[in-house]
Amino acid sequence: MSIDIPQDALVVLIGPAGSGKSTFAREHFRSTEVVSSDACRALVADDENAQDATADAFALLHFIVRRRLRAGRLTVVDATNVKPQSRAVLLTIARRQRRPAVAVVLNLPEAVYRSRNGSRADRSVPADSVSFQRDLLVRSLPLLDKEGFAGVHVLDSEQTVAAASVRRTPGSELGSDPGQGPAIQTSLPLG
Ligand code: CTP
Ligand code: MG
């Protein structure tokens, strides 16, 4: 599958822990294009796994995303994004900066998440939370097309993920149309 991504887009990775979001991001994007919730947790709390720092970590993540999109820089959000509300905040930021948002969904069998998470050196992910995240993802799938993404790409096997390529396309007219004036800065509830 070839995934077209406008060069000024927001890419929203969606997938439970162990679905391979960070691996996919590393493979297809420059490290500076990727804004990860774990990296933001580390920046605000010295610990990638600090769950009690979630609000501050996402405030930082949303801040970085907004500023990058305002400058027209391709930006990839590496966070689970399985909750509609998490995606809604990102979609609002993209819309207000007049940038397209593209969803890339890593929708793999639960057994894959379990086996990968079981052998991870970087963290231990409780099986319960992975099931919960997978459940949220499955319930999200039928909603994604109506949430406001310019493209929704669902990768639903390890083979599809391995074969996926990313093609950068010219930036959207939305962001570059001078007739629309400067991008608006906003303050959002979670940002
Ligand atoms: N992995 C793998 N094959 C892939 C992708 C990932 O074996 N095609 C392994 C990675 O080496 C890692 C684990 O699966 O040990 C989780 O991958 P990661 O990309 O870190 O998953 P994330 O979705 O980023 O997980 P999290 O939400 O916990 O950050
Ligand atoms: Mg990750």
Side-chain angles (χ1 to χ4, degrees), residues 103-118:
V104 176
V105 186
L106 298 166
N107 177 36
L108 303 177
E110 186 158 357
V112 175
Y113 310 140
R114 279 184 195 281
S115 109
R116 286 182 185 170
N117 284 325

Side-chain angles (χ1 to χ4, degrees), residues 17-18 20-23 36 38 48 78-79 120 122-123:
K21 301 178 297 295
S22 301
T23 304
S36 117
D38 294 332
E48 282 213 341
D78 176 5
R120 283 175 77 167
D122 58 339
R123 83 184 52 155

